Amino acid sequence: IPRPPNAFMVFRSSWLKSNDGMLAIERDNRQLSRITGEVWRAMSDADKAPYQKHAQDLKEEHARQYPNYRFSPKPRTGEILRRQ
């Protein structure tokens, strides 16, 4: 069961759809998250409010669909692979 997205993830998805030219420039998701993170941090609380509201709605819907869901991350096993 996937976790519900938080406000930043809702914003990131929306921002990338509205700035589709960004995908032509940058294909690395790590960089895209850094760029959208800078935009997110520069936004006022009033600008973030709609995304926070939408994320809360998604979280409530997720709780209705999966009432017994509990996030329990599994510890990583084996060697951690690092990108070069």
Side-chain angles (χ1 to χ4, degrees):
I1 300 171
R3 290 168 44 187
N6 62 21
F8 173 71
M9 296 308 292
V10 171
F11 166 73
R12 183 184 185 279
S13 177
S14 171
W15 192 80
L16 288 175
K17 285 179 186 173
S18 65
N19 294 296
D20 58 351
M22 183 63 81
L23 293 174
I25 297 169
E26 182 62 62
R27 298 296 299 170
D28 186 358
N29 279 314
R30 295 172 299 171
Q31 279 300 105
L32 290 171
S33 288
R34 287 182 188 121
I35 293 166
T36 53
E38 290 174 14
V39 174
W40 176 256
R41 284 187 293 277
M43 291 171 63
S44 68
D45 289 341
D47 291 336
K48 292 179 184 179
Y51 300 104
Q52 292 166 338
K53 171 75 170 98
H54 186 60
Q56 183 62 34
D57 293 344
L58 290 172
K59 183 177 179 181
E60 290 169 2
E61 179 61 29
H62 185 273
R64 279 192 291 278
Q65 287 181 338
Y66 309 103
N68 297 322
Y69 173 79
R70 293 279 183 245
F71 176 64
S72 56
K74 307 282 188 268
R76 292 185 180 185
T77 58
E79 188 176 325
I80 297 174
L81 299 176
R82 298 200 185 265
R83 292 185 180 189
Q84 297 294 327

